[in-house]
Amino acid sequence: MGNTARAGSPRGVRAWWRVAGIGAVAVLAVRVAVGIGDGTEGAANGTAAGGANGGAAPRTMALATAPALVLPAPTGRHPVGTVSLHLTDDRRPDPWVAGRPHRELMASVRYPATRDAARFPRAPQLTAAEAAAFDRLGSLADRVPAGRVAWGATLTHAHQGAPVARPHGRRLPVVLYSPGTGDPRAFGSTLCDELASRGYAVVTLDHTYEAPAVQFPDGRVARSVLREELVKAQRAGRITALLEKVSAVRVADARFVLGQLARGGPQSPLPVGLRGALDLAAVGMFGQSAGGFTAAQALHDDPRVRAAVDMDGVLGYTQRDDDPSHPSTVGRDGVGRPLMLMGGTGDDHHTVASWDATWRHSAARGTWLRDLTLRGGRHATYTDAEALLPQAARRAGLSPAALAELVGTVAPRRAVAAERAYVTAFFDRWLRGRDGRLLDGPSGRFPQVRFVP
């Protein structure tokens, strides 16, 4: 169970960027530091006015004729519906933009829908403004040239405003999803739509001013300020403090959203069909990269979260994942409720120091734990990039080697199938009491998944 990663190794250095998912942001931060702008307006105050297209960059809109990228269809028995929620935390000033007295968030709820869901339009993965910002500031921007991929053309498999289905009249278990920094909440649509098709209410949340762009219903667009924060932290030698803040803000966002879901009557942000439909005694959380850290930390901090999945997210506040000098509280204390770690090749609790600390302290408390490695997987394998980038590789100028560096060598359909199966099995076990035995050990159905002892 010891840490076997070499100090200063390339894998260890990359892992620090994974803790907040800000590899692309780091590249842009260097440009800012040397006086090279990226053309993003509104960055100083974090906002820009959005019109019908949210202020999307012309070069992104020019890609409207490019082939739309297609997400895998969910395999559950239910169609999927979705609604967006605009939430305001009146008790918390915005932590990233001074002078904003309230924290505003956008979330989406995916849920099982009735059989006539197809008469409602499918929700776009991103608005035009969000797609333009992701093109320039997102987690893939340091590897995919701007203007090559029509990120705004993809449709999810969730139907906007479709009526809610309540299988067998039961309330829906709730799963929160937090994306990696540099990703919008919709960049986990493949897994979120899958869970909803299997009877879960899945609540995805954007972390405002951290996500590339968050568009509000009135057209305002809050753009990321993280690149400026990173430049300031680098100059002041306060990278650890920045990572601590990123984590604290994210967990506070998740806890606030949970509280909002529990509000009843006219104060509820949920549309009528969802009010009373959620089982808030059965709440789980998962996420990728910094979102995985958020899920594990929320499991530690909030007793309402019963189980969590961390998909390739480091759990400490250090510049390398082989440096245990600044542990998070989840690493220092462990957790007392079920936790599953899912890593790409080379990432497990024997090689990642923060995972090792979390694992040891949790195991000492008798906690149910699993550590799964997806052979041939990479960091972005656990996002929609796994399905979308292979379709866009030629247009984006990605060589086979460059594509493999981003999403790994495992076949996309196998990676998606494995992630769907194990994440669903985990939440079925701990939120529904259904045990299909998939989590008991290796399966011939998924030979690419390794159980790490």
Side-chain angles (χ1 to χ4, degrees):
M1 300 243 296
N3 172 31
T4 59
R6 291 185 296 112
S9 69
R11 196 196 64 78
V13 172
R14 283 201 306 270
W16 174 74
W17 300 114
R18 287 204 307 271
V19 77
I22 52 180
V25 177
V27 173
L28 289 168
V30 172
R31 293 178 184 169
V32 172
V34 299
I36 302 174
D38 70 322
T40 303
E41 297 182 357
N45 62 11
T47 61
N53 66 2
R59 64 183 176 186
T60 301
M61 295 302 292
L63 291 173
T65 58
L69 307 181
V70 179
L71 291 167
T75 64
R77 59 181 296 188
H78 302 285
V80 178
T82 187
V83 295
S84 296
L85 306 178
H86 177 202
L87 306 173
T88 301
D89 188 349
D90 293 326
R91 299 182 179 182
R92 187 168 46 132
D94 193 278
W96 295 113
V97 179
R100 293 197 171 271
H102 310 303
R103 177 73 167 159
E104 287 186 85
L105 299 172
M106 287 299 297
S108 294
V109 185
R110 300 286 218 283
Y111 52 85
T114 56
R115 292 297 174 189
D116 62 346
R119 65 187 177 92
F120 295 83
R122 286 168 61 185
Q125 186 177 33
L126 300 170
T127 69
E130 291 166 345
F134 182 71
D135 193 44
R136 299 190 304 274
L137 296 171
S139 61
L140 303 175
D142 60 337
R143 301 295 299 275
V144 178
R148 297 284 186 89
V149 178
W151 297 114
T154 301
L155 296 177
T156 69
H157 293 277
H159 298 268
Q160 294 175 310
V164 181
R166 293 176 63 172
H168 309 294
R170 297 173 182 167
R171 289 185 296 167
L172 309 173
V174 177
V175 177
L176 271 64
Y177 174 76
S178 175
T181 300
D183 282 341
R185 68 186 188 275
F187 217 52
S189 289
T190 299
L191 276 175
C192 293
D193 283 351
E194 179 70 17
L195 286 169
S197 78
R198 294 180 177 273
Y200 288 89
V202 185
V203 183
T204 65
L205 60 150
D206 272 329
H207 301 283
T208 312
Y209 299 117
E210 211 198 288
V214 179
Q215 187 163 7
F216 296 105
D218 61 5
R220 287 176 300 126
V221 179
R223 304 188 190 281
S224 177
V225 300
L226 195 58
R227 60 194 179 96
E228 290 89 347
E229 294 293 327
L230 181 61
V231 169
K232 290 189 292 186
Q234 288 173 327
R235 288 172 176 169
R238 294 181 56 81
I239 291 293
T240 297
L242 175 60
L243 298 180
E244 290 174 341
K245 181 176 179 178
V246 167
S247 176
V249 170
R250 285 170 154 265
V251 173
D253 288 347
R255 300 185 72 175
F256 169 69
V257 169
L258 267 181
Q260 291 295 291
L261 296 177
R263 296 179 71 176
Q267 293 184 321
S268 174
L270 295 169
V272 173
L274 279 171
R275 294 180 190 179
L278 307 186
D279 184 357
L280 293 172
V283 175
M285 188 168 183
F286 76 114
Q288 183 263 356
S289 191
F293 190 169
T294 305
Q297 191 67 54
L299 181 69
H300 173 277
D301 294 353
D302 196 320
R304 293 173 295 182
V305 181
R306 292 178 50 183
V309 180
D310 173 6
M311 297 186 295
D312 216 39
V314 176
L315 297 172
Y317 306 121
T318 55
Q319 294 190 38
R320 295 194 305 266
D321 65 3
D322 56 0
D323 176 5
S325 62
H326 294 285
S328 61
T329 52
V330 70
R332 185 188 65 208
D333 304 334
V335 293
R337 296 181 298 283
L339 174 67
M340 184 162 73
L341 306 173
M342 299 183 74
T345 298
D347 294 335
D348 59 51
H349 71 274
H350 298 297
T351 62
V352 180
S354 60
W355 283 19
D356 172 52
T358 302
W359 185 277
R360 285 185 290 103
H361 292 125
S362 300
R365 300 170 63 175
T367 302
W368 187 98
L369 298 165
R370 286 293 181 274
D371 184 355
L372 306 181
T373 295
L374 183 60
R375 295 185 177 97
R378 299 288 289 179
H379 193 50
T381 300
Y382 292 103
T383 73
D384 287 340
E386 177 64 33
L388 298 180
L389 271 187
Q391 301 173 50
R394 179 173 295 180
R395 186 176 186 93
L398 292 174
S399 68
L403 181 64
E405 179 68 19
L406 286 169
V407 296
T409 55
V410 61
R413 63 180 180 82
R414 290 185 177 274
V416 168
E419 291 166 34
R420 285 172 161 175
Y422 285 93
V423 171
T424 299
F426 177 81
F427 288 123
D428 277 354
R429 183 166 185 167
W430 298 112
L431 301 185
R432 286 175 154 164
R434 301 177 182 175
D435 190 358
R437 320 306 298 181
L438 183 64
L439 297 172
D440 289 351
S443 168
R445 292 168 52 206
F446 303 103
Q448 66 274 30
V449 175
R450 172 179 174 248
F451 280 65
V452 181

